[in-house]
Amino acid sequence: MSTVRIPPVLRPAVGGARELSVEGATVGEVLESIYSDHPEVRAQLVTDGGELHRFVNIYLNDEDVRMLDWLDTPVEDRDTLLILPAMAGGASASPAHP
Amino acid sequence: MARSYQELLAEAREVIPEITVAELAESVSADPGTLHIIDVREQSEWDEGYVPGSVHVPRGFLESRIAGVVGPDEPLVLVCAGGHRSLLAGQTLRNMGFSNVSSLVGGFTRWKQSGQDVAVPRTLSGDQRSRYSRHLLIPEVGEAGQLKLLDSKVLMIGAGGLGSPAAYYLAAAGVGTIGLVDDDVVDASNLQRQIIHTTDRVGMLKGESAKIAIEALNPDVQVNVHATRVTRENVLELIAGYDLIVDGADNFPTRYLLADASLMTGTPLVHASILRFEGHASVFMPHDGPCYRCLFPEPPPPALAPSCGEAGVLGVLCGVMGNIQANEAIKVLLGIGDTLAGRLLVYDALGMTFTELKVRRDPNCPACGPDATLEFRDYEAWCAGPHANPVGVST
Ligand SMILES: [Zn+2]
């Protein structure tokens, strides 16, 4: 089982968990396993065409899977997968769109 | 048997050749950089002026520091105020095995009287020496580094959650010019994290409020208040003249605009973002490392990009991440250490973990790749997405 770290914006879709333990031999299998338990995650991360959105980064340990074998990247027990969307927060209370 | 000062000088003269002001001036102009000029006077004398190109090694530190300045076979001329201390210093260096040592007759006094060029060092004032004494003790900063910080100009985007600690610490550190870009006013709900503002300044423009705090903390700092939002039209003008951008923006359009402008102007960008208990930080060095869009080619849709105004943020988290930005900004300005360039730091305040992710330059990056054409997109529309409502209030 690998550990998948869930970013704050996706936690409501997985019942509030910060981490999940997930079966799967590849990055794609791990993600599919999460989708089947938590269909809302698929709705947020995957396009209508079945591709991962470009704004989602998936890291295997400290490496971006775009630099590895993408969804075919093998996942070992005790690996950590991190789902990382960009965050915008930082400054004031002004409306982003006036 | 005791020897007099005059006898010591006479002995030194027998082994240390003396050169005149005219000879030194000619040698420097004929062959600049070959002859090492070592000034052995005290700090207060050096501060009044010195022979251009010389290196200051006070007599009291000569034996311990000379090896780091000049090799034993390189030609060097010693300079003091009148030509005596330099002779005795020369004899010391001869005893240490330096073979090509001479001494300037008449010293710096005669050099100056002869109408030669004189360099005057920029130094910290007495007050600055005291204020920055803990920096001066750090070898990586020291007086030269502190002067560099005082000459540095940092543009802080947002005087809010990240901008409060970042700008406050940069001001304390003596960054000489800080620009604050924020069109918002202080609200009571800001004070849980935006520590540069105060309860009695609620309703004041954030830049003005922060300026009051910074000027009270450090009168060395020039604060420029830019009471505006960052737009396609003004971003290049805002950045012009600044050495570094600290991104404490609260929305994606501004972040992508800054990323492009950083590449266009070659201005380093120190990034952080925050939500609830989680913080991200990195440094983007234009064309020398990955850029923001190598990391995040596209912004997430608003549903996956809630603002802190919607989702909340732990006030203390802003302090941690804003100070990481100040830390990285100082390193970039001084050119020291290993910055977060090429790495994304992910801080989970709830689990108290720091995770480092590798960020690589994307050869197909739409902003910094070889085929990229840099232009400002309509990020407001792009970030809003095809099916999106306005993002609403943030941080
Ligand atoms: Zn890039």
Side-chain angles (χ1 to χ4, degrees), chain B residues 222-270:
Chain B
Q222 160 78 37
V223 179
N224 302 329
V225 176
H226 306 280
T228 177
R229 294 175 56 77
V230 181
T231 66
R232 277 192 285 182
E233 287 70 36
N234 69 11
V235 63
L236 294 178
E237 198 183 323
L238 279 171
I239 290 173
Y242 287 98
D243 303 312
L244 179 143
I245 308 162
V246 177
D247 181 1
D250 60 349
N251 62 85
F252 282 113
T254 301
R255 289 186 180 277
Y256 279 88
L257 209 50
L258 288 172
D260 287 350
S262 151
L263 287 164
M264 286 182 191
T265 58
T267 314
L269 180 64
V270 178

mmCIF file of all heavy atoms in Angstrom, chain B residues 222-270:
data_model
loop_
_atom_site.group_PDB
_atom_site.id
_atom_site.type_symbol
_atom_site.label_atom_id
_atom_site.label_comp_id
_atom_site.label_asym_id
_atom_site.label_seq_id
_atom_site.Cartn_x
_atom_site.Cartn_y
_atom_site.Cartn_z
ATOM 1 N N GLN B 222 13.282 53.068 2.624
ATOM 2 C CA GLN B 222 12.390 53.891 1.811
ATOM 3 C C GLN B 222 11.201 53.021 1.405
ATOM 4 O O GLN B 222 11.385 51.956 0.797
ATOM 5 C CB GLN B 222 13.163 54.373 0.589
ATOM 6 C CG GLN B 222 12.327 54.838 -0.581
ATOM 7 C CD GLN B 222 11.771 56.237 -0.346
ATOM 8 O OE1 GLN B 222 12.437 57.091 0.223
ATOM 9 N NE2 GLN B 222 10.530 56.439 -0.774
ATOM 10 N N VAL B 223 9.989 53.426 1.741
ATOM 11 C CA VAL B 223 8.797 52.653 1.391
ATOM 12 C C VAL B 223 8.043 53.368 0.274
ATOM 13 O O VAL B 223 7.708 54.542 0.396
ATOM 14 C CB VAL B 223 7.857 52.476 2.614
ATOM 15 C CG1 VAL B 223 6.615 51.682 2.216
ATOM 16 C CG2 VAL B 223 8.589 51.794 3.760
ATOM 17 N N ASN B 224 7.838 52.651 -0.825
ATOM 18 C CA ASN B 224 7.020 53.191 -1.921
ATOM 19 C C ASN B 224 5.666 52.502 -1.899
ATOM 20 O O ASN B 224 5.589 51.282 -2.021
ATOM 21 C CB ASN B 224 7.684 52.917 -3.279
ATOM 22 C CG ASN B 224 9.079 53.505 -3.364
ATOM 23 O OD1 ASN B 224 9.372 54.532 -2.747
ATOM 24 N ND2 ASN B 224 9.952 52.851 -4.115
ATOM 25 N N VAL B 225 4.613 53.260 -1.743
ATOM 26 C CA VAL B 225 3.264 52.693 -1.713
ATOM 27 C C VAL B 225 2.666 52.764 -3.113
ATOM 28 O O VAL B 225 2.576 53.843 -3.702
ATOM 29 C CB VAL B 225 2.375 53.449 -0.704
ATOM 30 C CG1 VAL B 225 0.948 52.902 -0.751
ATOM 31 C CG2 VAL B 225 2.955 53.334 0.702
ATOM 32 N N HIS B 226 2.321 51.598 -3.660
ATOM 33 C CA HIS B 226 1.658 51.537 -4.964
ATOM 34 C C HIS B 226 0.219 51.080 -4.716
ATOM 35 O O HIS B 226 -0.033 49.874 -4.605
ATOM 36 C CB HIS B 226 2.360 50.549 -5.902
ATOM 37 C CG HIS B 226 3.838 50.813 -6.072
ATOM 38 N ND1 HIS B 226 4.328 51.774 -6.915
ATOM 39 C CD2 HIS B 226 4.921 50.234 -5.500
ATOM 40 C CE1 HIS B 226 5.652 51.789 -6.863
ATOM 41 N NE2 HIS B 226 6.050 50.859 -6.014
ATOM 42 N N ALA B 227 -0.690 52.033 -4.612
ATOM 43 C CA ALA B 227 -2.075 51.706 -4.256
ATOM 44 C C ALA B 227 -2.849 51.305 -5.497
ATOM 45 O O ALA B 227 -3.714 52.025 -5.981
ATOM 46 C CB ALA B 227 -2.728 52.892 -3.560
ATOM 47 N N THR B 228 -2.496 50.151 -6.026
ATOM 48 C CA THR B 228 -3.110 49.708 -7.272
ATOM 49 C C THR B 228 -3.142 48.183 -7.311
ATOM 50 O O THR B 228 -2.429 47.520 -6.568
ATOM 51 C CB THR B 228 -2.315 50.238 -8.483
ATOM 52 O OG1 THR B 228 -2.897 49.737 -9.677
ATOM 53 C CG2 THR B 228 -0.867 49.770 -8.428
ATOM 54 N N ARG B 229 -4.002 47.644 -8.168
ATOM 55 C CA ARG B 229 -3.930 46.216 -8.466
ATOM 56 C C ARG B 229 -2.902 46.006 -9.576
ATOM 57 O O ARG B 229 -2.643 46.907 -10.357
ATOM 58 C CB ARG B 229 -5.284 45.708 -8.954
ATOM 59 C CG ARG B 229 -6.377 45.755 -7.917
ATOM 60 C CD ARG B 229 -7.706 45.340 -8.521
ATOM 61 N NE ARG B 229 -7.631 44.021 -9.139
ATOM 62 C CZ ARG B 229 -7.632 42.880 -8.463
ATOM 63 N NH1 ARG B 229 -7.705 42.903 -7.147
ATOM 64 N NH2 ARG B 229 -7.575 41.728 -9.073
ATOM 65 N N VAL B 230 -2.322 44.802 -9.618
ATOM 66 C CA VAL B 230 -1.391 44.491 -10.697
ATOM 67 C C VAL B 230 -2.210 44.139 -11.941
ATOM 68 O O VAL B 230 -3.076 43.265 -11.897
ATOM 69 C CB VAL B 230 -0.489 43.301 -10.320
ATOM 70 C CG1 VAL B 230 0.490 43.007 -11.439
ATOM 71 C CG2 VAL B 230 0.250 43.588 -9.013
ATOM 72 N N THR B 231 -1.930 44.840 -13.033
ATOM 73 C CA THR B 231 -2.660 44.563 -14.270
ATOM 74 C C THR B 231 -1.664 44.365 -15.417
ATOM 75 O O THR B 231 -0.478 44.678 -15.282
ATOM 76 C CB THR B 231 -3.586 45.735 -14.655
ATOM 77 O OG1 THR B 231 -2.760 46.870 -14.966
ATOM 78 C CG2 THR B 231 -4.531 46.091 -13.519
ATOM 79 N N ARG B 232 -2.182 43.885 -16.543
ATOM 80 C CA ARG B 232 -1.345 43.761 -17.736
ATOM 81 C C ARG B 232 -0.727 45.100 -18.101
ATOM 82 O O ARG B 232 0.393 45.173 -18.579
ATOM 83 C CB ARG B 232 -2.200 43.276 -18.911
ATOM 84 C CG ARG B 232 -2.392 41.802 -18.946
ATOM 85 C CD ARG B 232 -2.982 41.379 -20.271
ATOM 86 N NE ARG B 232 -4.403 41.710 -20.359
ATOM 87 C CZ ARG B 232 -5.157 41.402 -21.408
ATOM 88 N NH1 ARG B 232 -4.629 40.787 -22.448
ATOM 89 N NH2 ARG B 232 -6.435 41.703 -21.425
ATOM 90 N N GLU B 233 -1.486 46.160 -17.869
ATOM 91 C CA GLU B 233 -1.044 47.483 -18.309
ATOM 92 C C GLU B 233 0.063 48.042 -17.419
ATOM 93 O O GLU B 233 0.948 48.742 -17.890
ATOM 94 C CB GLU B 233 -2.231 48.460 -18.325
ATOM 95 C CG GLU B 233 -3.224 48.215 -19.466
ATOM 96 C CD GLU B 233 -4.043 46.928 -19.283
ATOM 97 O OE1 GLU B 233 -4.377 46.599 -18.124
ATOM 98 O OE2 GLU B 233 -4.318 46.248 -20.297
ATOM 99 N N ASN B 234 0.014 47.733 -16.097
ATOM 100 C CA ASN B 234 0.967 48.421 -15.210
ATOM 101 C C ASN B 234 2.077 47.536 -14.669
ATOM 102 O O ASN B 234 2.979 48.019 -13.992
ATOM 103 C CB ASN B 234 0.215 49.103 -14.053
ATOM 104 C CG ASN B 234 -0.385 48.093 -13.063
ATOM 105 O OD1 ASN B 234 -0.098 46.908 -13.106
ATOM 106 N ND2 ASN B 234 -1.222 48.589 -12.167
ATOM 107 N N VAL B 235 2.044 46.216 -14.962
ATOM 108 C CA VAL B 235 2.972 45.314 -14.250
ATOM 109 C C VAL B 235 4.439 45.620 -14.559
ATOM 110 O O VAL B 235 5.281 45.634 -13.662
ATOM 111 C CB VAL B 235 2.623 43.825 -14.516
ATOM 112 C CG1 VAL B 235 2.769 43.456 -15.979
ATOM 113 C CG2 VAL B 235 3.468 42.915 -13.649
ATOM 114 N N LEU B 236 4.749 45.917 -15.830
ATOM 115 C CA LEU B 236 6.152 46.167 -16.170
ATOM 116 C C LEU B 236 6.642 47.479 -15.541
ATOM 117 O O LEU B 236 7.774 47.569 -15.066
ATOM 118 C CB LEU B 236 6.340 46.194 -17.691
ATOM 119 C CG LEU B 236 6.095 44.855 -18.386
ATOM 120 C CD1 LEU B 236 6.246 44.997 -19.898
ATOM 121 C CD2 LEU B 236 7.047 43.775 -17.864
ATOM 122 N N GLU B 237 5.752 48.459 -15.518
ATOM 123 C CA GLU B 237 6.104 49.741 -14.914
ATOM 124 C C GLU B 237 6.332 49.579 -13.409
ATOM 125 O O GLU B 237 7.242 50.172 -12.828
ATOM 126 C CB GLU B 237 4.964 50.719 -15.185
ATOM 127 C CG GLU B 237 5.308 52.185 -15.016
ATOM 128 C CD GLU B 237 4.060 53.038 -15.252
ATOM 129 O OE1 GLU B 237 3.244 52.694 -16.138
ATOM 130 O OE2 GLU B 237 3.902 54.021 -14.517
ATOM 131 N N LEU B 238 5.488 48.745 -12.776
ATOM 132 C CA LEU B 238 5.636 48.510 -11.333
ATOM 133 C C LEU B 238 6.980 47.862 -11.014
ATOM 134 O O LEU B 238 7.655 48.230 -10.051
ATOM 135 C CB LEU B 238 4.503 47.604 -10.824
ATOM 136 C CG LEU B 238 3.154 48.251 -10.540
ATOM 137 C CD1 LEU B 238 2.101 47.175 -10.270
ATOM 138 C CD2 LEU B 238 3.257 49.196 -9.343
ATOM 139 N N ILE B 239 7.359 46.885 -11.840
ATOM 140 C CA ILE B 239 8.573 46.108 -11.557
ATOM 141 C C ILE B 239 9.847 46.908 -11.850
ATOM 142 O O ILE B 239 10.876 46.700 -11.206
ATOM 143 C CB ILE B 239 8.554 44.799 -12.387
ATOM 144 C CG1 ILE B 239 7.479 43.867 -11.852
ATOM 145 C CG2 ILE B 239 9.897 44.112 -12.364
ATOM 146 C CD1 ILE B 239 7.292 42.637 -12.707
ATOM 147 N N ALA B 240 9.750 47.836 -12.797
ATOM 148 C CA ALA B 240 10.952 48.564 -13.239
ATOM 149 C C ALA B 240 11.666 49.189 -12.041
ATOM 150 O O ALA B 240 11.053 49.844 -11.211
ATOM 151 C CB ALA B 240 10.556 49.635 -14.250
ATOM 152 N N GLY B 241 12.958 48.959 -11.968
ATOM 153 C CA GLY B 241 13.740 49.561 -10.894
ATOM 154 C C GLY B 241 13.867 48.681 -9.663
ATOM 155 O O GLY B 241 14.641 48.997 -8.769
ATOM 156 N N TYR B 242 13.107 47.594 -9.590
ATOM 157 C CA TYR B 242 13.230 46.694 -8.439
ATOM 158 C C TYR B 242 14.127 45.505 -8.790
ATOM 159 O O TYR B 242 14.179 45.054 -9.932
ATOM 160 C CB TYR B 242 11.854 46.208 -7.982
ATOM 161 C CG TYR B 242 11.059 47.295 -7.272
ATOM 162 C CD1 TYR B 242 10.104 48.041 -7.953
ATOM 163 C CD2 TYR B 242 11.284 47.584 -5.932
ATOM 164 C CE1 TYR B 242 9.383 49.043 -7.307
ATOM 165 C CE2 TYR B 242 10.576 48.582 -5.276
ATOM 166 C CZ TYR B 242 9.629 49.307 -5.968
ATOM 167 O OH TYR B 242 8.934 50.297 -5.333
ATOM 168 N N ASP B 243 14.832 45.014 -7.774
ATOM 169 C CA ASP B 243 15.771 43.903 -7.978
ATOM 170 C C ASP B 243 15.094 42.551 -7.845
ATOM 171 O O ASP B 243 15.636 41.540 -8.324
ATOM 172 C CB ASP B 243 16.893 43.957 -6.926
ATOM 173 C CG ASP B 243 17.627 45.274 -6.952
ATOM 174 O OD1 ASP B 243 18.009 45.702 -8.054
ATOM 175 O OD2 ASP B 243 17.803 45.889 -5.875
ATOM 176 N N LEU B 244 13.964 42.503 -7.171
ATOM 177 C CA LEU B 244 13.364 41.213 -6.829
ATOM 178 C C LEU B 244 11.891 41.429 -6.496
ATOM 179 O O LEU B 244 11.519 42.470 -5.958
ATOM 180 C CB LEU B 244 14.118 40.642 -5.621
ATOM 181 C CG LEU B 244 13.705 39.322 -5.014
ATOM 182 C CD1 LEU B 244 14.967 38.575 -4.574
ATOM 183 C CD2 LEU B 244 12.814 39.495 -3.799
ATOM 184 N N ILE B 245 11.072 40.415 -6.856
ATOM 185 C CA ILE B 245 9.638 40.474 -6.551
ATOM 186 C C ILE B 245 9.322 39.417 -5.495
ATOM 187 O O ILE B 245 9.741 38.263 -5.630
ATOM 188 C CB ILE B 245 8.787 40.164 -7.805
ATOM 189 C CG1 ILE B 245 9.210 41.031 -8.987
ATOM 190 C CG2 ILE B 245 7.304 40.328 -7.507
ATOM 191 C CD1 ILE B 245 8.727 40.474 -10.334
ATOM 192 N N VAL B 246 8.605 39.799 -4.464
ATOM 193 C CA VAL B 246 8.068 38.827 -3.518
ATOM 194 C C VAL B 246 6.572 38.734 -3.779
ATOM 195 O O VAL B 246 5.849 39.721 -3.669
ATOM 196 C CB VAL B 246 8.337 39.239 -2.055
ATOM 197 C CG1 VAL B 246 7.707 38.232 -1.100
ATOM 198 C CG2 VAL B 246 9.838 39.338 -1.790
ATOM 199 N N ASP B 247 6.133 37.533 -4.171
ATOM 200 C CA ASP B 247 4.746 37.330 -4.569
ATOM 201 C C ASP B 247 3.915 36.898 -3.364
ATOM 202 O O ASP B 247 3.999 35.758 -2.929
ATOM 203 C CB ASP B 247 4.673 36.282 -5.688
ATOM 204 C CG ASP B 247 3.243 36.041 -6.170
ATOM 205 O OD1 ASP B 247 2.319 36.696 -5.655
ATOM 206 O OD2 ASP B 247 3.068 35.206 -7.073
ATOM 207 N N GLY B 248 3.115 37.823 -2.875
ATOM 208 C CA GLY B 248 2.157 37.491 -1.816
ATOM 209 C C GLY B 248 0.751 37.777 -2.297
ATOM 210 O O GLY B 248 -0.090 38.250 -1.545
ATOM 211 N N ALA B 249 0.522 37.510 -3.592
ATOM 212 C CA ALA B 249 -0.785 37.821 -4.188
ATOM 213 C C ALA B 249 -1.839 36.828 -3.710
ATOM 214 O O ALA B 249 -1.524 35.757 -3.197
ATOM 215 C CB ALA B 249 -0.689 37.800 -5.711
ATOM 216 N N ASP B 250 -3.085 37.184 -3.922
ATOM 217 C CA ASP B 250 -4.178 36.357 -3.418
ATOM 218 C C ASP B 250 -5.002 35.744 -4.538
ATOM 219 O O ASP B 250 -6.071 35.224 -4.302
ATOM 220 C CB ASP B 250 -5.091 37.185 -2.514
ATOM 221 C CG ASP B 250 -5.697 38.367 -3.265
ATOM 222 O OD1 ASP B 250 -5.241 38.646 -4.392
ATOM 223 O OD2 ASP B 250 -6.620 39.006 -2.732
ATOM 224 N N ASN B 251 -4.507 35.831 -5.774
ATOM 225 C CA ASN B 251 -5.334 35.314 -6.872
ATOM 226 C C ASN B 251 -4.450 34.884 -8.034
ATOM 227 O O ASN B 251 -3.323 35.363 -8.193
ATOM 228 C CB ASN B 251 -6.328 36.387 -7.320
ATOM 229 C CG ASN B 251 -5.624 37.614 -7.838
ATOM 230 O OD1 ASN B 251 -5.257 37.685 -9.002
ATOM 231 N ND2 ASN B 251 -5.398 38.598 -6.968
ATOM 232 N N PHE B 252 -4.972 33.950 -8.825
ATOM 233 C CA PHE B 252 -4.184 33.397 -9.925
ATOM 234 C C PHE B 252 -3.873 34.387 -11.036
ATOM 235 O O PHE B 252 -2.746 34.369 -11.549
ATOM 236 C CB PHE B 252 -4.852 32.142 -10.491
ATOM 237 C CG PHE B 252 -4.622 30.935 -9.641
ATOM 238 C CD1 PHE B 252 -5.670 30.334 -8.966
ATOM 239 C CD2 PHE B 252 -3.350 30.410 -9.494
ATOM 240 C CE1 PHE B 252 -5.449 29.225 -8.157
ATOM 241 C CE2 PHE B 252 -3.122 29.313 -8.690
ATOM 242 C CZ PHE B 252 -4.176 28.715 -8.024
ATOM 243 N N PRO B 253 -4.821 35.238 -11.450
ATOM 244 C CA PRO B 253 -4.458 36.177 -12.527
ATOM 245 C C PRO B 253 -3.204 36.974 -12.187
ATOM 246 O O PRO B 253 -2.305 37.125 -13.025
ATOM 247 C CB PRO B 253 -5.697 37.071 -12.637
ATOM 248 C CG PRO B 253 -6.822 36.199 -12.191
ATOM 249 C CD PRO B 253 -6.254 35.339 -11.099
ATOM 250 N N THR B 254 -3.112 37.463 -10.958
ATOM 251 C CA THR B 254 -1.930 38.233 -10.565
ATOM 252 C C THR B 254 -0.682 37.355 -10.558
ATOM 253 O O THR B 254 0.386 37.757 -11.021
ATOM 254 C CB THR B 254 -2.137 38.858 -9.174
ATOM 255 O OG1 THR B 254 -3.283 39.698 -9.219
ATOM 256 C CG2 THR B 254 -0.928 39.676 -8.754
ATOM 257 N N ARG B 255 -0.802 36.125 -10.067
ATOM 258 C CA ARG B 255 0.368 35.249 -9.989
ATOM 259 C C ARG B 255 0.918 34.906 -11.389
ATOM 260 O O ARG B 255 2.126 34.909 -11.607
ATOM 261 C CB ARG B 255 0.035 33.964 -9.224
ATOM 262 C CG ARG B 255 -0.157 34.227 -7.732
ATOM 263 C CD ARG B 255 -0.339 32.944 -6.942
ATOM 264 N NE ARG B 255 -0.522 33.230 -5.524
ATOM 265 C CZ ARG B 255 0.467 33.445 -4.664
ATOM 266 N NH1 ARG B 255 1.726 33.398 -5.081
ATOM 267 N NH2 ARG B 255 0.216 33.695 -3.397
ATOM 268 N N TYR B 256 0.029 34.618 -12.331
ATOM 269 C CA TYR B 256 0.508 34.295 -13.677
ATOM 270 C C TYR B 256 1.069 35.527 -14.371
ATOM 271 O O TYR B 256 2.074 35.441 -15.098
ATOM 272 C CB TYR B 256 -0.616 33.635 -14.495
ATOM 273 C CG TYR B 256 -0.746 32.163 -14.163
ATOM 274 C CD1 TYR B 256 -1.549 31.736 -13.111
ATOM 275 C CD2 TYR B 256 0.000 31.204 -14.839
ATOM 276 C CE1 TYR B 256 -1.632 30.394 -12.758
ATOM 277 C CE2 TYR B 256 -0.075 29.865 -14.500
ATOM 278 C CZ TYR B 256 -0.891 29.462 -13.463
ATOM 279 O OH TYR B 256 -0.953 28.135 -13.109
ATOM 280 N N LEU B 257 0.455 36.671 -14.118
ATOM 281 C CA LEU B 257 0.962 37.929 -14.668
ATOM 282 C C LEU B 257 2.372 38.209 -14.140
ATOM 283 O O LEU B 257 3.287 38.576 -14.891
ATOM 284 C CB LEU B 257 0.002 39.043 -14.241
ATOM 285 C CG LEU B 257 -0.182 40.262 -15.103
ATOM 286 C CD1 LEU B 257 -0.450 39.882 -16.543
ATOM 287 C CD2 LEU B 257 -1.352 41.099 -14.546
ATOM 288 N N LEU B 258 2.577 38.018 -12.852
ATOM 289 C CA LEU B 258 3.890 38.253 -12.249
ATOM 290 C C LEU B 258 4.923 37.281 -12.804
ATOM 291 O O LEU B 258 6.080 37.646 -13.035
ATOM 292 C CB LEU B 258 3.818 38.107 -10.727
ATOM 293 C CG LEU B 258 3.090 39.216 -9.973
ATOM 294 C CD1 LEU B 258 2.931 38.833 -8.504
ATOM 295 C CD2 LEU B 258 3.859 40.539 -10.093
ATOM 296 N N ALA B 259 4.497 36.024 -13.006
ATOM 297 C CA ALA B 259 5.427 35.019 -13.523
ATOM 298 C C ALA B 259 5.925 35.436 -14.909
ATOM 299 O O ALA B 259 7.123 35.358 -15.205
ATOM 300 C CB ALA B 259 4.739 33.658 -13.585
ATOM 301 N N ASP B 260 5.008 35.908 -15.756
ATOM 302 C CA ASP B 260 5.404 36.357 -17.096
ATOM 303 C C ASP B 260 6.287 37.598 -17.020
ATOM 304 O O ASP B 260 7.308 37.699 -17.704
ATOM 305 C CB ASP B 260 4.156 36.679 -17.935
ATOM 306 C CG ASP B 260 3.422 35.425 -18.377
ATOM 307 O OD1 ASP B 260 3.981 34.325 -18.198
ATOM 308 O OD2 ASP B 260 2.306 35.546 -18.901
ATOM 309 N N ALA B 261 5.901 38.538 -16.171
ATOM 310 C CA ALA B 261 6.649 39.786 -16.065
ATOM 311 C C ALA B 261 8.043 39.544 -15.494
ATOM 312 O O ALA B 261 9.012 40.203 -15.874
ATOM 313 C CB ALA B 261 5.891 40.786 -15.199
ATOM 314 N N SER B 262 8.150 38.580 -14.599
ATOM 315 C CA SER B 262 9.452 38.213 -14.047
ATOM 316 C C SER B 262 10.378 37.726 -15.162
ATOM 317 O O SER B 262 11.553 38.109 -15.229
ATOM 318 C CB SER B 262 9.262 37.128 -12.982
ATOM 319 O OG SER B 262 10.381 36.279 -12.885
ATOM 320 N N LEU B 263 9.839 36.901 -16.072
ATOM 321 C CA LEU B 263 10.637 36.400 -17.198
ATOM 322 C C LEU B 263 10.980 37.530 -18.169
ATOM 323 O O LEU B 263 12.107 37.611 -18.672
ATOM 324 C CB LEU B 263 9.871 35.300 -17.931
ATOM 325 C CG LEU B 263 9.764 33.961 -17.200
ATOM 326 C CD1 LEU B 263 8.683 33.101 -17.836
ATOM 327 C CD2 LEU B 263 11.101 33.233 -17.210
ATOM 328 N N MET B 264 10.018 38.402 -18.433
ATOM 329 C CA MET B 264 10.247 39.481 -19.398
ATOM 330 C C MET B 264 11.329 40.440 -18.923
ATOM 331 O O MET B 264 12.077 40.985 -19.726
ATOM 332 C CB MET B 264 8.955 40.281 -19.610
ATOM 333 C CG MET B 264 7.917 39.554 -20.434
ATOM 334 S SD MET B 264 6.472 40.621 -20.643
ATOM 335 C CE MET B 264 5.306 39.461 -21.322
ATOM 336 N N THR B 265 11.363 40.684 -17.612
ATOM 337 C CA THR B 265 12.288 41.688 -17.079
ATOM 338 C C THR B 265 13.525 41.076 -16.437
ATOM 339 O O THR B 265 14.419 41.797 -16.011
ATOM 340 C CB THR B 265 11.581 42.544 -16.005
ATOM 341 O OG1 THR B 265 11.107 41.674 -14.968
ATOM 342 C CG2 THR B 265 10.397 43.297 -16.590
ATOM 343 N N GLY B 266 13.558 39.721 -16.352
ATOM 344 C CA GLY B 266 14.705 39.073 -15.707
ATOM 345 C C GLY B 266 14.763 39.334 -14.209
ATOM 346 O O GLY B 266 15.837 39.347 -13.620
ATOM 347 N N THR B 267 13.604 39.531 -13.602
ATOM 348 C CA THR B 267 13.576 39.829 -12.160
ATOM 349 C C THR B 267 13.227 38.572 -11.372
ATOM 350 O O THR B 267 12.174 37.968 -11.608
ATOM 351 C CB THR B 267 12.515 40.912 -11.870
ATOM 352 O OG1 THR B 267 12.651 41.968 -12.817
ATOM 353 C CG2 THR B 267 12.675 41.459 -10.465
ATOM 354 N N PRO B 268 14.079 38.160 -10.429
ATOM 355 C CA PRO B 268 13.766 36.961 -9.634
ATOM 356 C C PRO B 268 12.442 37.117 -8.894
ATOM 357 O O PRO B 268 12.086 38.217 -8.457
ATOM 358 C CB PRO B 268 14.929 36.874 -8.642
ATOM 359 C CG PRO B 268 16.042 37.632 -9.273
ATOM 360 C CD PRO B 268 15.393 38.727 -10.075
ATOM 361 N N LEU B 269 11.739 35.967 -8.762
ATOM 362 C CA LEU B 269 10.405 35.961 -8.161
ATOM 363 C C LEU B 269 10.419 34.991 -6.983
ATOM 364 O O LEU B 269 10.716 33.812 -7.166
ATOM 365 C CB LEU B 269 9.395 35.522 -9.225
ATOM 366 C CG LEU B 269 7.922 35.428 -8.876
ATOM 367 C CD1 LEU B 269 7.340 36.790 -8.527
ATOM 368 C CD2 LEU B 269 7.139 34.826 -10.039
ATOM 369 N N VAL B 270 10.122 35.491 -5.809
ATOM 370 C CA VAL B 270 10.057 34.632 -4.617
ATOM 371 C C VAL B 270 8.590 34.357 -4.328
ATOM 372 O O VAL B 270 7.815 35.269 -4.054
ATOM 373 C CB VAL B 270 10.742 35.292 -3.409
ATOM 374 C CG1 VAL B 270 10.620 34.394 -2.190
ATOM 375 C CG2 VAL B 270 12.212 35.572 -3.715
#
